[in-house]
Amino acid sequence: MKVSLSKLNLTYGDFTAVKSLDLTIDDGESVVLLGQSGCGKTSTMRCIAGLEQPTGGSIAIGETTVFDYNSNTNVPSFKRNVGMVFQSYAVWPHKTVLENVSFPLQLKKVPKKDIRRRALATLEMVGLAHLADRGASQLSGGQMQRVALARSMAMEPSVLLLDEPLSNLDARLRDDLRVELRRIQLERGLTSMYVTHDQQEALALADRIAIMQSGYITQLAAPAELYRRPNSASIARFLGVANVFSVGAIHGNGHYELSGYPMSVVAEDQRVHGEASVCFRPEDVLVESAPALPEAGAPNSWSGTVTVAVFQGATVRYQIELDGGARIEATCTETPGSARAAGEPVTVRVRPERVLVLPDDTVPTETLEVAA
């Protein structure tokens, strides 16, 4: 079911958590709110659920307006048919798995003959039907989170809201449950909103990702588009683009002089903004043994020294200090004989088409002057 937020505001005293936010989640779509702690993403979700009362704007679920500040409309949370899965499991330890999942059906006055059937069908979907009669206190963390998900899904909500439900789990289990959550969302055609500060989680679970910063949505895009083309340097940093350098001057033909370092970067991206930065991802950096004679005139080719090498299984992460003083990070595929050791001189290269030129902030306030 479609969800529409219009000019949504939420303030706590002098602090504004959500600022004039507009967002539409289409029927069956999964939207992930991605941002740092305190950016307003959980507050936005709680407004949809009816757990917070906004101080402006409106919220509609389907054709029903569940909140409107101007008309003083505020439908109680229990009448919104919204399911919510929290970061803490919120599973009743004194009940069995089946009793936990059956509880919301009992509240909805579902006939007793249908409760067990629907609860077991939902447990089958999350892979826990064989544990239906087990006490919830005997479950692992991952199993408890599946019970919490099944309990929300059993009530057949119009919208499923998930507030960082995987953050308490170990890395391998998080990866497995991401796949399961995405499978269930697609199979059921669930309209869902997922809140996280984990980039990989957002990319795995979203049809679209909304980047939130200081109460605003600063970019809304499909995962691949967001990954390849962030709107600003601040978003790029948050998305893991470790190599972000402020531009001091532009010399035309895609040559950008870096602020504070005696070096320039060549980019095919010719856009000119206000306060700008050049950015490139660690996986786009090629690391080679330093040649006896450096290649003259090669774009984005610099000499440097490996300061840190971290083995990560299939890849090696390097921190490299360039001769001009700048530090860059590189992630390279691990192959026999390819590893570089700390203290080893190297040459690093970045293809110009892999360099982004981005405004420092989402809304630029001034224009850089092109140097003569």
Side-chain angles (χ1 to χ4, degrees), residues 297-311:
N300 302 339
S301 178
W302 308 289
S303 299
T305 303
V306 175
T307 56
V308 179
V310 179
F311 178 71

Side-chain angles (χ1 to χ4, degrees), residues 14-176:
D14 295 332
F15 174 71
T16 302
V18 181
K19 304 172 183 177
S20 194
L21 187 144
D22 293 314
L23 177 65
T24 298
I25 306 173
D26 291 328
D27 185 25
E29 184 182 29
S30 173
V31 168
V32 174
L33 297 186
L34 176 63
Q36 297 175 334
S37 297
C39 70
K41 55 189 188 296
T42 295
S43 295
T44 300
M45 175 178 285
R46 288 174 63 86
C47 288
I48 297 172
L51 302 177
E52 298 283 354
Q53 183 168 335
T55 51
S58 64
I59 304 170
I61 298 177
E63 300 301 320
T64 303
T65 298
V66 296
F67 177 83
D68 183 75
Y69 182 79
N70 291 330
S71 65
N72 200 29
T73 300
N74 189 16
V75 175
S77 59
F78 65 90
K79 292 185 178 180
R80 297 190 183 190
N81 195 31
V82 169
M84 190 158 183
V85 183
F86 297 92
Q87 181 176 353
S88 58
Y89 311 129
V91 170
W92 292 294
H94 63 288
K95 294 180 180 290
T96 66
V97 169
L98 184 62
E99 289 170 341
N100 268 277
V101 178
S102 298
F103 184 74
L105 300 176
Q106 295 167 358
L107 290 180
K108 292 185 72 172
K109 308 296 184 182
V110 173
K112 287 185 178 180
K113 62 183 178 64
D114 294 330
I115 289 178
R116 180 177 177 84
R117 175 183 57 80
R118 285 175 54 175
L120 284 174
T122 309
L123 285 171
E124 183 71 35
M125 179 169 289
V126 299
L128 290 180
H130 64 293
L131 299 179
D133 296 321
R134 179 174 293 186
S137 61
Q138 299 175 296
L139 302 178
S140 68
Q143 290 168 336
M144 286 188 185
Q145 199 57 278
R146 287 174 187 242
V147 172
L149 176 62
R151 186 175 57 197
S152 291
M153 290 174 54
M155 60 183 287
E156 297 181 349
S158 301
V159 183
L160 183 62
L161 307 175
L162 303 106
D163 187 7
E164 302 199 64
L166 308 183
S167 60
N168 291 333
L169 306 178
D170 62 70
R172 176 57 190 270
L173 188 54
R174 279 202 308 272
D175 288 343
D176 291 343

Side-chain angles (χ1 to χ4, degrees), residues 247-317:
V247 172
I250 303 171
H251 294 285
N253 298 320
H255 285 69
Y256 298 85
E257 183 180 319
L258 302 190
S259 176
Y261 300 107
M263 58 184 289
S264 62
V265 175
V266 179
E268 287 189 358
D269 186 338
Q270 298 291 321
R271 295 175 299 163
V272 177
H273 302 280
E275 297 293 330
S277 295
V278 294
C279 316
F280 48 90
R281 291 184 173 276
E283 58 265 33
D284 291 326
V285 179
L286 177 66
V287 180
E288 304 171 328
S289 296
L293 294 173
E295 184 180 351
N300 302 339
S301 178
W302 308 289
S303 299
T305 303
V306 175
T307 56
V308 179
V310 179
F311 178 71
Q312 297 178 323
T315 61
V316 181
R317 184 91 172 199

Side-chain angles (χ1 to χ4, degrees), residues 303-356:
S303 299
T305 303
V306 175
T307 56
V308 179
V310 179
F311 178 71
Q312 297 178 323
T315 61
V316 181
R317 184 91 172 199
Y318 296 106
Q319 186 178 87
I320 299 166
E321 184 171 346
L322 303 183
D323 291 348
R327 289 178 178 267
I328 68 170
E329 293 194 13
T331 300
C332 303
T333 302
E334 165 64 7
T335 58
S338 67
R340 316 294 173 193
E344 182 177 341
V346 293
T347 295
V348 297
R349 308 181 196 277
V350 182
R351 297 196 319 232
E353 64 268 25
R354 307 303 293 178
V355 179
L356 295 176

Side-chain angles (χ1 to χ4, degrees), residues 209-229:
I209 298 173
I211 297 290
M212 286 199 70
Q213 295 176 301
S214 303
Y216 297 101
I217 291 179
T218 54
Q219 187 168 1
L220 177 63
E225 180 185 349
L226 179 71
Y227 184 85
R228 294 169 185 150
R229 178 67 64 176

